[in-house]
Amino acid sequence: MVDEEDNTLEVVSLLPGLITGPVFLTNDFTSKEAIQVLLEEKYPLWPEIYVACIDVRDCAIAHLKALYCKKNMKVALVNGQFSLAEMATIVNNEFSQYGYKVARRQMYPWVAKLASFFNAEMREIIPLYGKETKIENQKAIKELEMEFTSIEKSIIDMSYSLIKQ
């Protein structure tokens, strides 16, 4: 936002986590792949990796609100952190009734370490294994007056939209 009286520019940087929620694109992107592997029953166990998430609808609202914000600031757009196993449980609880069998068990650290010798993806995540970071969303709530959609709803909505594709 540019203040014409004193010619200053106010910039709000929005830093979203993993963006979940309904999908309208058919091309691949990181957030889509994260949920799609749950539905495809690709892995029997999940590494203990934590992901900060935000619903796509909340992300869009935050971008609109940021246009009218008169402060320079960085805002983390997250509505909590979930492990991959927790996300798998959310998907399984909703979709097991339709025949989806989503693995919900957490991988032991030694299994992840062993797998990292043979799998490049596992090798990349080993430094993050078991580390839950604290990301505050208070600026989003206070400065942008955000009310977040539950991540459970967001993951379920994303899963349904992926199934329809």
Side-chain angles (χ1 to χ4, degrees):
M1 178 73 80
V2 176
D3 187 344
E4 294 188 21
E5 289 179 18
D6 62 5
N7 252 354
T8 60
L9 176 66
E10 304 295 336
V11 178
V12 177
S13 297
L14 300 176
L15 311 165
L18 181 79
I19 300 173
T20 57
V23 175
F24 300 105
L25 303 173
T26 55
N27 58 320
D28 289 337
F29 51 93
T30 303
S31 298
K32 175 182 175 182
E33 291 171 8
I35 303 300
Q36 201 160 23
V37 296
L38 299 175
L39 291 167
E40 292 174 350
E41 306 169 31
K42 191 172 179 180
Y43 303 109
L45 301 169
W46 295 105
E48 187 182 355
I49 299 299
Y50 293 87
V51 182
C53 302
I54 177 89
D55 185 86
V56 66
R57 296 160 286 204
D58 296 337
C59 194
I61 290 168
H63 277 80
L64 290 173
K65 289 182 174 188
L67 290 173
Y68 299 98
C69 191
K70 295 189 181 213
K71 285 187 176 181
N72 285 315
M73 65 181 165
K74 295 177 186 172
V75 179
L77 292 180
V78 296
N79 187 25
Q81 263 194 132
F82 291 81
S83 71
L84 295 178
E86 290 170 319
M87 294 169 81
T89 298
I90 292 167
V91 172
N92 187 69
N93 289 346
E94 180 70 19
F95 293 96
S96 62
Q97 63 186 330
Y98 303 117
Y100 288 88
K101 294 178 175 77
V102 180
R104 299 176 312 254
R105 294 186 322 218
Q106 200 120 352
M107 183 182 291
Y108 292 112
W110 67 268
V111 173
K113 186 71 172 165
L114 180 63
S116 73
F117 290 108
F118 308 102
N119 183 299
E121 290 175 343
M122 286 301 277
R123 199 171 309 117
E124 290 176 18
I125 64 172
I126 288 297
L128 304 172
Y129 200 92
K131 296 180 181 169
E132 189 173 358
T133 56
K134 180 86 169 138
I135 301 174
E136 292 290 332
N137 64 1
Q138 292 306 307
K139 267 192 193 173
I141 293 168
K142 184 179 176 190
E143 302 292 340
L144 299 179
E145 300 175 353
M146 291 298 301
E147 294 179 19
F148 293 106
T149 304
S150 78
I151 293 304
E152 291 85 357
K153 177 179 176 18
S154 186
I155 290 171
I156 290 168
D157 289 351
M158 185 173 205
S159 300
Y160 275 115
S161 68
L162 289 173
I163 290 168
K164 286 181 184 175
Q165 288 185 355

